[in-house]
């Protein structure tokens, strides 16, 4: 599966962005990870057929949702903070699980990343 992420950019603290990820064909579990400068890549949010999950630092601010017809997922990011600055990657799995997997090894395909920069 090929994944194409888009929607990153520069935004002031408190602002919003919406990331999009398009898959070349139908996928099941999908997720967003991010990697900030000098840090390891971390799970942000994921969605399976029956579950959604968010890392604690984005709960209440970020929303993940799916457009199954277009094989797309979105990440609506509100109330952005400078610490949200990172390259955001979408990931997809050919496996459907009841619960969202929050580790990288749960995903088979990765997009190229889109940069989100939040200024203070």
């Amino acid at each position: 599966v090929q994944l194409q992420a888009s929607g990153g950019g520069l935004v002031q603290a408190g602002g919003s962005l919406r990331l999009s990820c398009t898959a070349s064909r139908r996928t099941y579990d999908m997720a967003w990870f991010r990697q900030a400068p000098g840090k390891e890549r971390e799970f942000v949010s994921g969605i399976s057929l029956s579950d959604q999950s968010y890392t604690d630092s984005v709960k209440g601010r970020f929303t993940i949702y799916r457009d199954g017809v277009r094989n797309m997922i979105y990440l609506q990011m509100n109330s952005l903070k400078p610490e949200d600055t990172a390259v955001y990657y979408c990931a997809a799995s050919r496996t459907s699980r009841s619960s969202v997997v929050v580790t990288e090894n749960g995903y088979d395909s990765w997009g190229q990343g889109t940069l989100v920069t939040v200024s203070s």
Side-chain angles (χ1 to χ4, degrees):
V1 177
Q2 292 184 328
L3 303 175
Q4 180 71 39
S6 62
L10 173 64
V11 64
Q12 288 187 333
S16 299
L17 283 174
R18 188 182 74 163
L19 304 184
S20 302
C21 177
T22 303
S24 58
R25 61 173 175 81
R26 182 184 178 185
T27 58
Y28 293 96
D29 298 358
M30 296 187 74
W32 290 96
F33 288 75
R34 67 185 178 187
Q35 187 168 21
K39 296 186 177 181
E40 294 185 352
R41 190 155 58 183
E42 64 172 354
F43 173 84
V44 177
S45 180
I47 186 167
S48 68
L49 294 179
S50 57
D51 186 34
Q52 293 183 10
S53 182
Y54 300 89
T55 192
D56 286 346
S57 63
V58 308
K59 285 181 180 177
R61 300 189 297 123
F62 290 11
T63 303
I64 189 169
Y65 57 102
R66 180 197 301 265
D67 181 339
V69 174
R70 295 188 176 90
N71 295 329
M72 296 182 68
I73 62 167
Y74 302 90
L75 186 68
Q76 178 66 44
M77 306 186 296
N78 299 327
S79 303
L80 282 161
K81 303 176 181 180
E83 51 264 43
D84 295 317
T85 295
V87 176
Y88 284 70
Y89 298 89
C90 66
S93 171
R94 292 168 291 180
T95 303
S96 177
R97 303 177 181 94
S98 58
S99 299
V100 172
V101 175
V102 302
T103 55
E104 294 185 39
N105 60 10
Y107 299 90
D108 312 297
S109 302
W110 292 82
Q112 84 287 4
T114 184
L115 177 62
V116 172
T117 303
V118 184
S119 63
S120 58

